[in-house]
Amino acid sequence: MTTVDEAYSRRAAEYADLFGSMRAVHPSDRQLVESWADTVDGRILDAGCGPGHWTNHLARRGKAVRGIDLVPAFIERARSSYPDVPFAVASIDRIDEPTASLGGILSWYSTIHHTPGRIAVPLAEFARTIRPGGALLVGYFDGGASIEEFDHAVAPAYRWPMRTLHEVLRRHGFDVVESHRRTGCDSRPHGAVICRRGDA
């Protein structure tokens, strides 16, 4: 993922200015993430937190949450903007948390640049670090009949059919609880999946 990280590093300030606040969040996404977080019992990891606005938002709602991202410029921005919230430079492919230590993980579009052959790496880490019964929320770009690569503004990304993503999550020990799809005339289709970690 080095190329992707470098691409985000080059555009970190631009990205943070455009998308790095709750003002830029779609109202239905905000409601979904808040409702999900309210069900989480235990610590939450914002995996691929970017400039940290979701991490801070959940912390302000009383959740024990920390954010990680592999782009140092994002973490610098997050620490500067939200000094009371813990952030660290770390990879979602090698999560710096003990096994079964988390109540939940928010993976909000943090796996969109993983190829179909590599998405198993972060999903396996999610499964390792979330305790049995814990919660996972994955935000992604929704696709049609097959996985499709497309030209994202920063680096190539992938659209996933909902059913295909469900199958991959189940293979990694997650029970799919509910799915959401959001479309609009001026945006790509968006998807979200809420899962529970099965018994170890």
Side-chain angles (χ1 to χ4, degrees), residues 38-124:
D38 288 345
T39 71
V40 176
D41 181 16
R43 293 191 300 120
I44 295 175
L45 179 70
D46 185 359
C49 65
H53 53 293
W54 274 117
T55 324
N56 176 68
H57 184 67
L58 295 180
R60 289 174 62 87
R61 289 176 59 84
K63 307 306 292 188
V65 58
R66 66 186 287 256
I68 63 170
D69 201 285
L70 203 53
V71 178
F74 279 153
I75 296 302
E76 291 173 10
R77 175 79 169 246
R79 287 171 172 166
S80 175
S81 300
Y82 316 114
D84 296 329
V85 181
F87 295 98
V89 177
S91 172
I92 66 171
D93 291 350
R94 297 177 302 279
I95 295 176
D96 56 343
E97 291 281 355
T99 297
S101 62
L102 298 172
I105 288 179
L106 174 63
S107 174
W108 200 244
Y109 295 86
S110 59
T111 62
I112 61 170
H113 301 293
H114 283 73
T115 67
R118 291 196 69 258
I119 199 169
V121 178
L123 293 185

